[in-house]
Amino acid sequence: MNNTLIFASEKEVRFGKLLKFIIPTYLTSLFNTVYTIIDGIFVSAYVGTNALVAINIVYPIVNVLFGIALAFAAGGSAVVALHIGGAFSASVIASMLVGGLVALGVLLNLSGILTLLGATPLTMRDCKIYALWWLWGTPLMIGKELFPYFIRVDGSPTYSFATALSGGVLNIVMDYVLVGQMQMGIRGAALATIMGLALSTCMGIYYFLRKNKTFSFTLRGLSVKESLYCLVNGGSEFINQLAVAITTIVFNRTALAFAGEDGVAAVSIIMYLQFLFIGVYSGFSIGIAPPLGWAYGEGKMDVCRKLERYAHRFFAIAPFVIYALTYFLASAGVSCFVERSNAVFPIAVTGMRIYGLGFLFSGINIFASVRMMAYGKGYFSGMITFLRSFALLLLFLTILPQKLGLTGIWLAVPAAEVLTMLVAVWFLRPMQKAKSK
């Protein structure tokens, strides 16, 4: 199998060569966030904060659908990297089927689900408009998430990035046209996003029809067992998105209790901005995962160790740089969504600087999770994700606001990341010792 992600020996591993995979992967991760952030900026500027709140209310539904796509994308691509069967075809079919069934279930119970998520008579109409576009566009969303992962493992990280870049650029242009110029409101924002998803998905389909190197779509040899293995291996991604959905609801309700609708708007802005910083960690970790998977699958543990040493150096420096940027650029970031005179502005700036403390610890947690997924040990990856994104976060969201008020809301994430990192480092020790034998 001729694949540029394979390092034949430890001597071939060079950081410059590794950057050829990491940088496009980070940029892909960055442009993936564009779909959400640009919608938020345009909606806030041209429609108002109530529409921004509506998007935030709907987003737990989107998180669940994203989670399904990411579980099969990350889990299946890791399985492919380990040279196991037809994981690509199994992932495509299973993710489309599961995602479609979930979307249908939500459509049949949309009003009740939106009410449960926090929609009020004031926001229900906008919530329904935004949700309907996403639900009908579920196949496009799954394709947009699925194909870049497999394209990257196929040895074409630059094309993978191009699929995200093209969709992101189209999203930005159409947001300007539909929301800014044609005044289509939240409907225009949703339509612009779907158009971006459609372009990225079409580019992915074209790749596997015309440009693929090592594997292609086939209906032969498909099995439910293989689909389940891909899902379980990438289960941490689904757990993460499900946790984001649940914690977003808790964040919204807690902020509403302490700061009213301005608090919910501040939460929305912080959730948008944190993608930019977390994306650095995700991009690096996902970028290094395919070479790790290939090396592990071939039993080249010296290559794995050297790749991991590069990762350790990166995560020894990057968190401090990222938090410094978070602290000093918080005002500029928040000002993209609301004017400085708006009551939401000081709440969001203060919250971002406290919330951002979690970036000092989240990098190693993200890498530990992705690393174990690359080695085909999705259960451990899921454990880390469950702790940082769900169990510990909900625990601190319950306890800290009672003691510290609004500050406690922002501190919940750093507290969860610190404890998760301690657990992740402790659990990583046995595998490190085993590989050194």
Side-chain angles (χ1 to χ4, degrees):
M1 183 179 292
N2 182 24
N3 192 298
T4 57
L5 291 179
I6 296 177
F7 294 101
S9 67
E10 181 183 359
K11 293 181 179 179
E12 290 189 8
V13 181
R14 295 289 184 272
F15 191 65
K17 186 175 181 181
L18 197 57
L19 285 178
K20 294 179 181 179
F21 306 107
I22 292 173
I23 291 177
T25 304
Y26 165 65
L27 294 176
T28 300
S29 177
L30 176 64
F31 276 95
N32 282 342
T33 68
V34 167
Y35 293 106
T36 306
I37 294 174
I38 296 299
D39 278 350
I41 292 174
F42 274 91
V43 167
S44 181
Y46 290 98
V47 187
T49 55
N50 282 338
L52 186 65
V53 171
I55 291 177
N56 199 32
I57 290 171
V58 169
Y59 223 74
I61 298 174
V62 180
N63 287 133
V64 172
L65 296 173
F66 265 126
I68 294 169
L70 287 172
F72 284 102
S77 61
V79 171
V80 166
L82 292 170
H83 324 305
I84 300 175
F88 171 59
S89 301
S91 295
V92 172
I93 293 176
S95 60
M96 290 291 181
L97 180 60
V98 175
L101 290 174
V102 171
L104 178 61
V106 174
L107 276 169
L108 295 175
N109 301 277
L110 186 57
S111 295
I113 291 174
L114 290 176
T115 300
L116 181 65
L117 294 178
T120 64
L122 181 65
T123 59
M124 180 62 79
R125 178 177 177 276
D126 283 343
C127 286
K128 282 187 174 181
I129 292 172
Y130 199 70
L132 284 170
W133 277 100
W134 272 102
L135 292 169
W136 287 117
T138 294
L140 298 176
M141 182 196 64
I142 291 176
K144 173 258 179 184
E145 290 298 321
L146 198 72
F147 291 132
Y149 273 79
F150 286 95
I151 291 171
R152 191 159 49 244
V153 173
D154 196 45
S156 301
T158 302
Y159 190 93
S160 175
F161 164 60
T163 63
L165 174 63
S166 301
V169 170
L170 181 60
N171 191 172
I172 293 171
V173 171
M174 296 313 298
D175 264 325
Y176 173 76
V177 173
L178 300 178
V179 182
Q181 299 301 307
M182 298 179 64
Q183 300 293 308
M184 290 179 63
I186 198 168
R187 180 180 284 104
L191 179 57
T193 299
I194 296 301
M195 293 173 72
L197 297 177
L199 178 58
S200 295
T201 299
C202 288
M203 289 183 66
I205 293 172
Y206 172 78
Y207 178 89
F208 285 106
L209 289 176
R210 300 290 184 181
K211 298 172 69 69
N212 63 297
K213 299 177 182 178
T214 57
F215 53 88
S216 59
F217 182 80
T218 178
L219 295 176
R220 295 179 181 178
L222 294 177
S223 70
V224 174
K225 181 179 179 181
E226 190 164 44
S227 299
L228 288 175
Y229 181 52
C230 294
L231 176 61
V232 171
N233 193 48
S236 64
E237 296 297 329
F238 178 74
I239 291 171
N240 182 55
Q241 291 298 318
L242 181 61
V244 169
I246 295 172
T247 53
T248 296
I249 298 170
V250 177
F251 262 116
N252 288 343
R253 292 185 179 277
T254 309
L256 185 65
F258 284 96
E261 292 183 355
D262 288 343
V264 178
V267 168
S268 302
I269 292 169
I270 291 171
M271 292 298 179
Y272 287 131
L273 293 176
Q274 62 103 18
F275 288 134
L276 295 175
F277 301 104
I278 291 294
V280 176
Y281 299 144
S282 299
F284 181 94
S285 300
I286 295 171
I288 205 173
L292 273 176
W294 284 111
Y296 187 77
E298 295 180 348
K300 296 178 179 178
M301 305 313 298
D302 57 332
V303 174
C304 291
R305 283 191 291 269
K306 187 164 185 179
L307 289 170
E308 288 182 6
R309 284 198 295 272
Y310 280 126
H312 296 160
R313 294 169 190 168
F314 176 81
F315 288 109
I317 299 171
F320 299 100
V321 176
I322 288 175
Y323 180 67
L325 292 173
T326 302
Y327 187 90
F328 291 110
L329 297 179
S331 296
V334 173
S335 66
C336 293
F337 294 86
V338 294
E339 296 181 357
R340 293 175 182 265
S341 58
N342 193 303
V344 175
F345 184 84
I347 300 174
V349 171
T350 301
M352 190 69 221
R353 287 172 173 167
I354 299 172
Y355 183 100
L357 289 169
F359 301 156
L360 293 170
F361 313 100
S362 58
I364 191 63
N365 295 333
I366 292 172
F367 174 69
S369 176
V370 174
R371 170 182 177 267
M372 298 310 296
M373 193 188 310
Y375 291 159
K377 303 180 186 299
Y379 55 88
F380 182 72
S381 176
M383 182 189 304
I384 296 173
T385 302
F386 177 76
L387 286 174
R388 66 180 289 265
S389 300
F390 187 72
L392 291 176
L393 183 55
L394 284 184
L395 174 64
F396 289 119
L397 277 174
T398 302
I399 296 173
L400 294 181
Q402 295 180 6
K403 305 291 184 181
L404 302 173
L406 196 59
T407 300
I409 298 176
W410 312 133
L411 280 173
V413 167
E417 295 287 5
V418 169
L419 288 188
T420 302
M421 187 182 72
L422 296 176
V423 174
V425 169
W426 189 85
F427 273 108
L428 284 172
R429 289 177 59 194
M431 175 155 291
Q432 291 172 342
K433 290 182 179 179
K435 289 193 301 180
S436 64
K437 292 180 179 181

